[in-house]
Amino acid sequence: MPSKESYEENSLVQKANREANQEDMLAAALGMRVGPQKPPAAFWQPLKLFAYSQLTSLVRRATLKESTPRAEKIHNFKVHTFRGPHWCEHCANFMWGLMAQGVKCSDCGLNVHKQCAPLVPNDCKPSLRHIRKVYSCDLTTLVNAYNTARPMVVDMCIREIESRGLKSEGLYRISGFTDSVEEVKSSFDKDGEKTDISAKAYEDINIITGALKMYLRELPVPVISYDAYPRFIEAAKLSDPEKKLEAFREALALLPESHTETLKYLMAHLKRVAQNEKFNLMNAENLGIVFGPTLMHAPNQDAMTALNDIRYQRQVVEVLIKNEHVLF
């Protein structure tokens, strides 16, 4: 039977061999050439710690490949300079260079080579750690980050408006005090769902309607997206009622899922606003005038064409409000 000293000696030898193998593997991954005289342990320790930290990002990437997100979203890649050695989360190969080694998704934090970026599937899963603001944030990005059907700004503002403002004269037409609207915007950007928009905080309901309209106007991609815009305009020009509704259904099918959910919720709300026209003096046509340019912007058109589209933008919203029960 081997002695205790012999057993401990064998254990130390095995441990040393394992560490040597790990160092050889790390050197290979980093593309380093190590001679017979290997660097001391103090040289390897920081590299080992960093390499192990990279495993979490590679595992996360593998998880992304195995699961399909509810709403498909492209990554928002931007050139990035990484501190220290870094591995691509798409091909798992090393990123070379001292500066601008690759690109990083500003919505989910995915790190890949520049050449790998076009190969990454549209599986971005935004994280709240990377979302810096609520206003001017892509609608689908915000929805996925908060795991909600619609942006919380839309839900919270509409709930508040319906609880105390449906009978307010000139609802959505009358503007709230600009500084107060900006204050609500800043609060949403800073506090998110914790923002207080109650009557105690803002007695004037027009401040809340102003904050909602501002959110919708500042979306990078409007609720009625640029891709779907021409189809909605063409649908509004049709005179036959049945063909018009069918054209609207086809146009709605072009919207991203989060945009459709937001538009559906908003139109149901505006229909309830119109049903209180006797008090607020806002019918579907008036609401169309307010929300047409808010929900849809002409994509890359000359000024004259965009000007001519304004009346059709109004008609699009009017049709959506009046036919909300059959179109959604």
Side-chain angles (χ1 to χ4, degrees):
M1 180 178 295
S3 65
K4 180 179 179 181
E5 291 78 7
S6 176
Y7 178 80
E8 290 177 349
E9 184 178 345
N10 289 333
S11 297
L12 291 173
V13 170
Q14 291 174 2
K15 181 179 179 181
N17 289 335
R18 283 198 303 270
E19 290 181 350
N21 289 336
Q22 290 174 353
E23 291 167 0
D24 290 339
M25 291 170 63
L26 183 57
L30 294 174
M32 297 168 54
R33 292 185 177 181
V34 180
Q37 298 297 323
K38 292 186 177 182
F43 171 84
W44 291 106
Q45 192 60 24
L47 291 178
K48 285 182 181 180
L49 291 173
F50 181 81
Y52 296 153
S53 71
Q54 292 299 301
L55 289 176
T56 56
S57 62
L58 295 176
V59 169
R60 178 167 66 88
R61 182 69 196 136
T63 304
L64 283 176
K65 288 183 177 180
E66 291 173 2
S67 60
T68 303
R70 182 187 63 181
E72 188 177 83
K73 181 188 177 305
I74 63 173
H75 291 273
N76 185 18
F77 285 124
K78 295 181 180 178
V79 176
H80 189 77
T81 296
F82 299 96
R83 294 180 180 180
H86 224 85
W87 279 261
C88 173
E89 294 182 47
H90 178 72
C91 68
N93 289 323
F94 186 66
M95 289 186 180
W96 294 100
L98 298 176
M99 296 180 65
Q101 306 97 319
V103 293
K104 183 185 186 78
C105 177
S106 58
D107 294 337
C108 72
L110 185 70
N111 309 310
V112 298
H113 289 115
K114 296 173 187 175
Q115 63 269 25
C116 287
L119 306 176
V120 177
N122 298 336
D123 56 1
C124 179
K125 292 184 177 180
S127 166
L128 290 178
R129 291 191 301 111
H130 302 283
I131 304 299
R132 304 299 180 191
K133 56 186 177 179
V134 171
Y135 277 66
S136 301
C137 177
D138 175 67
L139 195 155
T140 300
T141 298
L142 193 68
V143 163
N144 286 357
Y146 281 88
N147 194 27
T148 56
R150 297 169 299 275
M152 107 280 284
V153 177
V154 175
D155 278 12
M156 290 176 62
C157 287
I158 287 180
R159 283 199 301 266
E160 191 63 30
I161 293 164
E162 294 199 351
S163 69
R164 60 185 173 99
L166 283 180
K167 296 182 180 181
S168 178
E169 184 176 333
L171 189 68
Y172 285 115
R173 179 176 56 81
I174 298 175
S175 300
F177 189 51
T178 303
D179 287 352
S180 296
V181 174
E182 287 287 346
E183 188 177 280
V184 173
K185 171 186 173 180
S186 298
S187 184
F188 270 118
D189 282 340
K190 180 182 177 182
D191 303 322
E193 296 167 303
K194 297 179 181 178
T195 300
D196 182 8
I197 55 173
S198 65
K200 184 178 179 180
Y202 301 98
E203 184 178 357
D204 183 4
I205 196 63
N206 297 309
I207 293 172
I208 310 306
T209 61
L212 176 58
K213 288 187 294 182
M214 179 181 285
Y215 170 77
L216 296 171
R217 281 197 305 269
E218 293 187 359
L219 285 172
V221 177
V223 175
I224 294 180
S225 63
Y226 295 120
D227 291 339
Y229 180 93
R231 297 290 291 273
F232 276 97
I233 295 296
E234 291 304 315
K237 293 178 180 179
L238 297 175
S239 56
D240 183 271
E242 291 188 7
K243 290 182 179 179
K244 176 174 283 192
L245 286 179
E246 184 58 33
F248 265 85
R249 290 190 184 95
E250 292 174 357
L252 284 168
L254 299 176
L255 295 177
E257 182 182 350
S258 56
H259 287 239
T260 302
E261 285 294 326
T262 302
L263 191 62
K264 175 182 177 181
Y265 190 70
L266 182 60
M267 291 304 110
H269 163 65
L270 294 182
K271 190 170 187 176
R272 289 189 285 273
V273 172
Q275 288 169 348
N276 284 274
E277 178 190 356
K278 182 172 64 174
F279 305 100
N280 58 40
L281 307 180
M282 296 297 289
N283 57 24
E285 184 178 356
N286 292 336
L287 291 168
I289 293 172
V290 173
F291 279 93
T294 300
L295 296 177
M296 52 196 308
H297 312 152
N300 302 321
Q301 290 184 353
D302 59 83
M304 186 58 67
T305 304
L307 191 63
N308 290 333
D309 280 356
I310 290 179
R311 62 174 175 147
Y312 296 114
Q313 292 174 355
R314 170 185 62 77
Q315 291 177 24
V316 166
V317 176
E318 187 178 348
V319 170
L320 290 173
I321 293 173
K322 290 181 176 178
N323 298 279
E324 174 268 335
H325 61 294
V326 295
L327 286 175
F328 296 98

